[in-house]
Amino acid sequence: MTHKLPTLPYQMEELAPLMSQETLEFHYGKHLQTYIDNLNKLIPGTPYETLSLEDIICKADGAIFNNAAQTWNHTFFFQTLTSHSDVIPQKLDALLTSNFGSAEAFKEQFTKAALGLFGSGWVWLAADKEGKLFILPESNAGNPLTKGYTPLLVIDLWEHAYYIDYRNRRAAYIEAFWKLVNWEKVAERII
C-alpha cells in the first residue's frame, strides 16, 4: 500500500493570520510529505506494507512506527482545523463538563499540559473504552491508538508547527489553536 498526502479540508491561506500559508506550505507540504515518503520507502518487503496506518502504529516500532505515527498524527491534526471555529456542540460540551468541570476548565488543563510538554510531541484529548475523556501528553510520535484509546483532538507541539508564525512563543500558538479547532469534527469522533 502506498500512503499519500491527504487533502486538506480548507485552502492553505484560509487559516491566516492564526496559521499562515507559509506555515502550512512547510508543515503540511514538506514535513508531512517527508514522513509519508519515508514510510513508503521503509515498508516494502515488511509485514507492514499492506497495513493501514492505524495497524502499523499499533504493531510497529522504530523508524516505521515513527513515520507512520507522524503521518497519522499530522493528518489528524490538519483535519481538526478550520477557518471558522464554531461553538462546541452540546454533546461534546456535556462530556467535557462531566470529565473536566466545564469546557473552559478542559481548555485550561489542555493548555497547561501543552505548555508543560518538554521538547517535541503532541497533547491529545482521548477517550477510553468506557467513554471517559482525558488529556494525554505524548512525546515525539506518541499516539493514543497504541494504548487502545480513541483520539478526539490534538495539538502538534513540534516547533515546525509554529516557528514560522510564532517563533519560540508556544503559548501564543496554543492560544491561536483554540480559534482554529473544528469542534464539530471533534464531536463526530466521540464513540
Side-chain angles (χ1 to χ4, degrees):
M1 172 183 305
T2 300
H3 300 278
K4 297 184 181 188
L5 189 69
T7 303
L8 292 174
Y10 41 80
Q11 298 300 310
M12 283 204 269
E13 69 276 5
E14 281 184 53
L15 303 183
L18 300 170
M19 187 176 291
S20 69
Q21 180 173 339
E22 183 182 11
T23 288
L24 283 168
E25 287 169 353
F26 279 88
H27 192 191
Y28 164 80
K30 296 191 185 309
H31 287 280
L32 175 53
Q33 185 65 64
T34 299
Y35 292 126
I36 294 167
D37 292 345
N38 288 342
L39 179 63
N40 286 329
K41 288 176 193 167
L42 290 167
I43 60 174
T46 73
Y48 309 108
E49 71 181 329
T50 60
L51 298 181
S52 68
L53 282 174
E54 292 85 357
D55 287 337
I56 296 171
I57 290 166
C58 292
K59 295 176 180 180
D61 58 13
I64 292 176
F65 167 79
N66 285 327
N67 284 281
Q70 290 291 29
T71 296
W72 197 95
N73 294 359
H74 278 87
T75 300
F76 191 91
F77 172 73
F78 290 127
Q79 291 176 346
T80 304
L81 304 177
T82 182
S83 60
H84 50 276
S85 188
D86 44 16
V87 176
I88 299 173
Q90 184 176 2
K91 171 174 94 169
L92 177 58
D93 187 64
L95 277 172
L96 292 172
T97 299
S98 69
N99 285 271
F100 301 101
S102 69
E104 283 308 309
F106 156 70
K107 287 182 185 179
E108 289 170 15
Q109 291 173 46
F110 192 96
T111 296
K112 183 177 179 182
L115 289 169
L117 183 74
F118 181 78
S120 299
W122 307 82
V123 172
W124 300 87
L125 171 64
D128 65 15
K129 288 183 169 100
E130 287 74 45
K132 179 172 174 28
L133 305 185
F134 56 95
I135 296 166
L136 181 65
E138 289 281 349
S139 295
N140 302 319
N143 183 297
L145 295 173
T146 62
K147 297 170 174 69
Y149 302 141
T150 301
L152 303 175
L153 172 72
V154 70
I155 186 169
D156 184 343
L157 295 170
W158 284 74
E159 281 189 340
H160 64 244
Y162 58 90
Y163 199 80
I164 290 170
D165 296 327
Y166 298 96
R167 299 298 184 244
N168 63 340
R169 297 177 300 122
R170 184 183 275 193
Y173 162 68
I174 296 165
E175 184 179 332
F177 167 78
W178 291 120
K179 297 172 187 160
L180 294 171
V181 173
N182 183 338
W183 292 109
E184 289 290 338
K185 177 64 79 176
V186 176
E188 287 171 15
R189 295 170 174 155
I190 296 170
I191 26 184

